[in-house]
Amino acid sequence: PLTNVEVPGVTDVPRSYAFMDEEDLDTMASKGTWVVTKDPLTGTIYTRHALTTSLVDINRKEESIRCNADAVGLALYNRVKPYIGRANVTPRLAELIYGQIRSELDILTSVEPSPEIGPAVLNGEIRSVERHATQKDKMVIRVFTELPAPFNYGELHEIII
């Protein structure tokens, strides 16, 4: 997650606090602007909310999910890359690729950099590994992944009895 993270090396961002109020920053964020601002009490420069310009859904608007998706895609691709240009498109190759992708998904769903971050992938499913319908020299690999979302908001209910 990249929200509320200090931005080292940046000494000042006066346009985000001297010329704009919280409402202005909220408006910018609602339009997909990644806002970096300054904490008025500590002077710390930090990411207010890391967003992209695509606000279609949380998987596209949250920069941390996009970054994670890129890293997961690269890890999966790196498992297939050794076969490209070095193997023939056969049912056995499909089995090998399936095994490689499954192994990487097992790692991505189990390794946790920290308890707060958790694994890169919550759930991964290989839907298919098959030869392309018209391009005989191409394999099509369909992998569905569920990625963790950042904890941006909390709701606490206190019940006094």
Side-chain angles (χ1 to χ4, degrees), residues 7-67:
V7 182
V10 178
T11 58
D12 202 8
V13 286
R15 291 181 186 258
S16 70
Y17 64 87
F19 300 110
M20 294 179 228
D21 59 20
E22 285 297 311
E23 188 177 329
D24 294 329
L25 297 178
D26 287 344
T27 299
M28 289 173 59
S30 74
K31 304 295 183 196
T33 302
W34 182 333
V35 177
V36 176
T37 191
K38 182 177 184 177
D39 184 306
L41 300 176
T42 66
T44 302
I45 308 297
Y46 70 99
T47 295
R48 186 172 180 264
H49 195 163
L51 296 169
T52 72
T53 55
S54 178
L55 302 175
V56 175
D57 59 31
I58 192 167
N59 289 330
R60 291 181 237 185
K61 78 176 185 177
E62 284 289 340
E63 181 61 34
S64 62
I65 295 176
R66 296 300 325 137
C67 184

Side-chain angles (χ1 to χ4, degrees), residues 92-158:
R92 179 68 181 125
L93 177 63
E95 291 172 9
L96 289 170
I97 290 174
Y98 185 96
Q100 289 294 316
I101 297 292
R102 181 73 261 156
S103 294
E104 189 63 31
L105 286 172
D106 289 345
I107 291 168
L108 293 169
T109 57
S110 63
V111 174
E112 295 187 7
S114 73
E116 297 86 12
I117 300 296
V121 176
L122 298 175
N123 185 34
E125 179 186 346
I126 304 168
R127 292 282 174 97
S128 64
V129 179
E130 58 195 12
R131 186 177 77 177
H132 190 275
T134 58
Q135 292 177 285
K136 295 172 87 174
D137 63 343
K138 183 177 185 177
M139 295 291 288
V140 179
I141 306 148
R142 289 186 179 84
V143 180
F144 285 47
T145 56
E146 178 187 1
L147 304 180
F151 176 41
N152 288 327
Y153 309 100
E155 188 172 313
L156 174 71
H157 299 268
E158 177 184 14

Side-chain angles (χ1 to χ4, degrees), residues 70-84:
D70 289 345
V72 168
L74 181 60
L76 296 175
Y77 172 75
N78 283 336
R79 288 296 190 120
V80 175
K81 187 177 177 182
Y83 300 105
I84 297 172

